[in-house]
Amino acid sequence: MSWKTTVLRRPLVALVSSVVLIAAASCGGSSDNTDTPTRAAGDSGYASLSGEVVVDGSSTVGPIAEAAAEEFGKVSDVKVAVGISGTSGGFEKFCRGETDISNASRPMRTSEAQACADSGVDVTEFRIAIDGLTVAVNPANTWASCLTFSQLRKIFDQGSQVNNWNEVDPSFPDKALKIFSPGADSGTFDYFSEEINGTLDQFRNDAGVTFSEDDNVLVSGVESADGAIGYFGYAYYSENKDKLKALQVDRDQDRAGLPLPPTDRLGCIAPSEETVLPGTYPLSRPLFMYAANEELTGKPQVRGFIRFVLENPQLIRDVGYVELEDAIYRQNLAKLKATE
């Protein structure tokens, strides 16, 4: 299925004709002299590649992998299969040797790295983009424009019995809450739970919450109910701005639930490219691809696919996420080269 016919519909502007030139141009303005493989268009080496690459994991990173898979297939004979099992589910498959690349919306945990090591899977981490995890409500919601971390915790924390908007804030109307959340295998769930509720797996689990590993289901859920609230990757919001309302977020407390000093608070901030890259948006987070070193050295198509993603950061922008600094992509390419 085409990535442009699922949740993402942005036109890909002359990407194929500018393969690698994008990376070359972006590197030209920097003084960073990291020795990385740069190639001219037509000399990428992609055309000689064939075989298959199996990718699984994060639903947040999935659109990036799907876009890259489609475009990579136009410049090579490689077939890239992209699955979405959630970050945790993807790591389980990856550490069992069932996949070549694992997408993740959070860093690999120590326990997951140990599971991979126990299975003889050596891992290289590639940071590929930044996401501004977006808290969204139905556009009919005219009462909430900004929620604090303490208000979000009141809604989403384990044991919460808040089921009405006026229980979040007395100034809000008597309107039933309908909550939509990624499932427990999702890295987005892990990240949100830890940032808002203070620890992993501390999340309400009652009839008032609809869980799904499919972000499109969450978008549809928020769109369908006036009192709905949900959260997902920024790309899913940016492609559905006419159906959703993104809330500003105010980090007013730390993970322990203690109030932040006024000097440490930045106030209400909305997700955008301008706030996500510098991390001023409180729910900014890095996105990753993990590759098995054995596959990087033994399967040229796996190495080629990772290189394609790193050399074409326009994919990140086209999908709806935020590109990293040019130097990070060059460092990643150097890391890839070191696995040869």
Side-chain angles (χ1 to χ4, degrees):
M1 179 180 294
S2 168
W3 66 278
K4 288 176 284 187
T5 60
T6 54
V7 73
L8 306 167
R9 300 178 180 84
R10 295 191 179 193
L12 200 58
V13 183
L15 176 62
V16 177
S17 63
S18 59
V19 168
V20 182
L21 285 179
I22 298 168
S26 65
C27 295
S30 171
S31 60
D32 189 310
N33 293 319
T34 304
D35 183 18
T36 57
T38 57
R39 311 189 193 279
D43 187 32
S44 66
Y46 296 131
S48 64
L49 297 176
S50 60
E52 297 182 349
V53 177
V54 180
V55 184
D56 207 319
S58 166
S59 61
T60 303
V61 184
I64 300 173
E66 290 170 356
E70 181 173 322
E71 299 305 319
F72 190 52
K74 295 177 181 178
V75 296
S76 73
D77 288 326
V78 179
K79 305 298 182 185
V80 182
V82 180
I84 296 177
S85 299
T87 296
S88 298
F91 279 143
E92 290 176 4
K93 292 183 177 182
F94 181 69
C95 293
R96 291 196 298 262
E98 297 174 11
T99 60
D100 303 309
I101 297 169
S102 199
N103 297 328
S105 59
R106 59 165 175 78
M108 179 178 275
R109 297 172 184 159
T110 301
S111 59
E112 292 163 336
Q114 187 59 55
C116 278
D118 291 344
S119 299
V121 178
D122 294 323
V123 179
T124 298
E125 176 190 275
F126 299 96
R127 185 155 53 104
I128 62 167
I130 303 178
D131 174 34
L133 190 153
T134 302
V135 181
V137 296
N138 188 282
N141 183 326
T142 59
W143 55 90
S145 59
C146 175
L147 292 182
T148 63
F149 269 41
S150 56
Q151 287 174 321
L152 290 170
R153 189 168 191 164
K154 188 183 295 186
I155 295 171
F156 291 99
D157 201 5
Q158 188 175 52
S160 171
Q161 296 184 18
V162 171
N163 295 305
N164 196 297
W165 278 99
N166 62 15
E167 295 172 322
V168 179
D169 188 306
S171 68
F172 293 163
D174 181 7
K175 173 74 71 171
L177 266 171
K178 293 188 177 180
I179 301 169
F180 295 86
S181 169
D185 278 341
S186 167
T188 299
F189 173 90
D190 290 339
Y191 174 83
F192 189 83
S193 178
E194 190 167 24
E195 288 296 314
I196 300 301
N197 299 331
T199 187
L200 293 172
D201 302 324
Q202 183 171 308
F203 202 92
R204 68 183 294 173
N205 184 13
D206 56 69
V209 185
T210 298
F211 293 98
S212 176
E213 304 293 348
D214 187 340
D215 292 279
N216 293 297
V217 171
L218 304 179
V219 168
S220 297
V222 175
E223 177 192 358
S224 66
D226 289 356
I229 186 171
Y231 62 96
F232 27 74
Y234 181 72
Y236 288 90
Y237 162 70
S238 65
E239 290 300 323
N240 294 279
K241 286 183 178 180
D242 58 330
K243 305 173 183 176
L244 304 168
K245 172 184 170 182
L247 294 181
Q248 300 175 55
V249 178
D250 178 5
R251 185 189 291 274
D252 66 334
Q253 64 180 23
D254 62 18
R255 287 184 178 179
L258 299 175
L260 288 182
T263 53
D264 291 345
R265 287 182 63 175
L266 299 177
C268 295
I269 300 176
S272 69
E273 292 187 13
E274 292 72 27
T275 62
V276 168
L277 181 59
T280 52
Y281 177 63
L283 294 174
S284 300
R285 57 173 180 162
L287 303 178
F288 304 90
M289 284 184 175
Y290 288 82
N293 291 346
E294 184 177 357
E295 310 307 320
L296 289 175
T297 56
K299 293 182 179 180
Q301 68 271 30
V302 175
R303 173 181 294 276
F305 182 70
I306 290 289
R307 180 162 66 87
F308 184 85
V309 173
L310 298 175
E311 288 183 331
N312 292 280
Q314 180 179 337
L315 279 170
I316 308 301
R317 186 169 61 252
D318 286 336
V319 165
Y321 293 114
V322 179
E323 296 175 40
L324 300 166
E325 299 89 341
D326 296 340
I328 301 298
Y329 291 110
R330 293 198 297 277
Q331 291 167 11
N332 273 307
L333 284 164
K335 185 189 295 186
L336 179 64
K337 185 176 178 62
T339 66
E340 291 179 349

